[in-house]
Amino acid sequence: MLYVVNRLSAWFLRGDIVMKESGEIIPEDVRRLARSIMRHVMGRHRRPTLSRISMRLDHRAARLARPTEATQAGRVGWWINLSTMEPGKKIAVPLLTYDYHAERPGRVTNGVQVNLNREGQLTFGVVTDMGEACAKSRAEYDGRGVLALDFGLSTLFATSEGQLLGQGWLKRLRRYDALLSMIAASQQRAGKKPRASKRYRALVEDVRGFLRTEVGRVLNHLVEQGRPKELVLERLDFRNPDLSRRLNAILRNCGRSVIKSKLAALEQRFGITSTEVNPAYSSQTCNVCGYVDARNRGSQDKFHCLWCGHTKHADLNAARNIGERRALPIGSVFQSKHAVLGHLVATFVARHPMSERRPGLSRFGRSGQRGLPADPRTTNPYFGKVPPAVVRSSERREAPMKSGTTQALVAA
Ligand SMILES: [Zn+2]
């Protein structure tokens, strides 16, 4: 019945819906469920706003022409001749060019794009047809292999091939954060909203622009260097506990769309596909032995496995895990964090029964370090969560954690 409601897009419609085969009217509780599911779905996805859709003018309303003489030091690349409602009256708008645009491949069409920006200004642009250029670059691109990316807090991206990219971007964001907070505070003192300040709005635009350039630069570099055929990314969530709630909201609003549009462009230009995987616990899991522990962290950026002693840059270890999850059921973004942890713990216990002694002890000679007992699992709350079928009750040292505690550990 839900399927029928969905197929008819009748979630919020009034009036009865009849099941074709049985003639049965879909009862109210099913309709209510359909509404509630759809409301939930719509709450998670922004509805399209038509206010920011740009207008395209074709040759009947606007004509493009190259300048016949150099104006504004030769920076004018095109003139748009706009028709008006008054016969014979034209408005000529000069368009400035810049190097990036001039070098871009593609064929300029006889189309003009008109945008109304947030400040209420009209901007004009020429429309370039990238179809042929993209087809050519796709054919020329010989991608191979899979490249996994981890979105880190201190580095923008870490890859499964061991690269760290976009370092220092957090520093820049912190600077933006300080400026934004300063303006917001002074606005609030004056009893005004931050967005009422022109400087504030301009700064938010700057953050967006910075993110766009940085993501574009890093991903271009990756493609040039690694020439991957497929990218595997964790579910992108731009959140950083070091930044203010204000900046986090800005990042959340634009970060995802910035990366999404860049990935779409990469697919269009080079045929590189991308997959999102579930990143839960990927930063706490050892890539070598699979041991998951919130304490698997050495100093700052180091990952240090308490079971096997494996040591690596934390973001690189996570990137490897992300890459491997692509083929695993826990890689699905629809899995809950809880289910992912359950799977990691169960797999590890199946490989190393609770009676087994930790092998790394003699090899790494790290017994007694940090006062940890021989088997780190006995003090690891994650291993208290294993279903009784896997761990015998005598070995369950700690009560299962409340989910709130898990969250705190993950964030740490
Ligand atoms: Zn390990």
Side-chain angles (χ1 to χ4, degrees), residues 147-161 163-165 169 218-219 222 231-237 259 277-284 297 313-323 325:
L147 191 65
L149 305 175
D150 171 66
F151 176 79
L153 296 182
S154 54
T155 351
L156 186 49
F157 287 115
T159 77
S160 50
E161 300 297 310
Q163 295 151 294
L164 293 166
L165 298 154
W169 79 292
V218 165
L219 285 174
L222 275 180
L231 293 174
V232 181
L233 299 100
E234 62 177 281
R235 186 166 212 176
L236 296 163
D237 188 3
I259 292 211
V277 302
N278 194 331
Y281 300 96
S282 60
S283 63
Q284 299 179 15
R297 295 297 285 258
H313 189 290
D315 292 341
L316 298 179
N317 177 69
R320 289 253 166 102
N321 285 331
I322 297 276
R325 277 187 190 186

Side-chain angles (χ1 to χ4, degrees), residues 46-230:
R46 263 197 269 168
R47 270 164 257 193
T49 56
L50 302 181
S51 63
R52 286 176 59 200
I53 286 184
S54 65
M55 177 164 62
R56 282 273 288 270
L57 300 176
D58 67 8
H59 62 97
R60 285 167 300 185
R63 266 172 203 285
L64 275 176
R66 283 288 198 179
T68 45
E69 54 190 273
T71 25
Q72 296 197 29
R75 282 168 60 224
V76 174
W78 302 91
W79 282 93
I80 304 174
N81 291 307
L82 291 169
S83 305
T84 64
M85 300 299 282
E86 235 175 276
K89 189 185 173 191
K90 298 235 183 238
I91 297 172
V93 183
L95 291 188
L96 304 180
T97 53
Y98 46 99
D99 293 345
Y100 169 70
H101 188 267
E103 285 162 16
R104 211 162 66 140
R107 193 169 49 83
V108 173
T109 63
N110 203 356
V112 171
Q113 196 168 335
V114 186
N115 294 303
L116 187 65
N117 71 11
R118 284 162 192 263
E119 307 296 319
Q121 298 163 319
L122 279 177
T123 60
F124 296 89
V126 294
V127 178
T128 314
D129 183 358
M130 301 286 285
E132 295 155 32
C134 286
K136 189 163 166 273
S137 59
R138 268 204 304 273
E140 281 169 3
Y141 183 79
D142 62 327
R144 58 204 123 70
V146 178
L147 191 65
L149 305 175
D150 171 66
F151 176 79
L153 296 182
S154 54
T155 351
L156 186 49
F157 287 115
T159 77
S160 50
E161 300 297 310
Q163 295 151 294
L164 293 166
L165 298 154
Q167 278 165 311
W169 79 292
L170 188 61
K171 226 162 101 191
R172 179 88 177 261
L173 284 177
R174 278 213 193 92
R175 268 210 308 277
Y176 278 126
D177 206 9
L179 275 173
L180 283 170
S181 305
M182 207 176 71
I183 301 173
S186 83
Q187 285 288 106
Q188 257 149 19
R189 276 197 297 277
K192 287 185 232 155
K193 289 208 159 133
R195 282 211 71 88
S197 151
K198 201 172 170 187
R199 228 183 117 209
Y200 184 87
R201 290 198 303 269
L203 212 55
V204 171
E205 268 324 299
D206 275 2
V207 173
R208 288 211 176 94
F210 167 66
L211 215 65
R212 208 174 299 129
T213 343
E214 196 72 352
V215 165
R217 196 177 59 81
V218 165
L219 285 174
N220 284 343
H221 179 80
L222 275 180
V223 167
E224 248 165 62
Q225 299 279 308
R227 304 194 80 75
K229 204 176 153 71
E230 186 185 339

Side-chain angles (χ1 to χ4, degrees), residues 286-291 296 303 305-310:
C286 174
N287 183 251
V288 173
C289 69
Y291 179 61
N296 270 353
F303 180 91
C305 177
L306 291 181
W307 179 268
C308 75
H310 171 63

Side-chain angles (χ1 to χ4, degrees), residues 220-293:
N220 284 343
H221 179 80
L222 275 180
V223 167
E224 248 165 62
Q225 299 279 308
R227 304 194 80 75
K229 204 176 153 71
E230 186 185 339
L231 293 174
V232 181
L233 299 100
E234 62 177 281
R235 186 166 212 176
L236 296 163
D237 188 3
F238 282 79
R239 225 176 305 182
N240 191 317
D242 288 356
L243 300 170
S244 71
R245 263 176 62 192
R246 189 182 308 280
L247 189 59
N248 268 319
I250 295 169
L251 293 177
R252 201 166 49 241
N253 282 339
C254 71
R256 262 184 88 81
S257 65
V258 161
I259 292 211
K260 287 241 149 160
S261 65
K262 181 65 197 172
L263 292 177
L266 286 178
E267 176 154 17
Q268 204 183 19
R269 286 198 75 166
F270 303 113
I272 302 169
T273 55
S274 40
T275 323
E276 255 187 42
V277 302
N278 194 331
Y281 300 96
S282 60
S283 63
Q284 299 179 15
T285 307
C286 174
N287 183 251
V288 173
C289 69
Y291 179 61
V292 52
D293 195 320

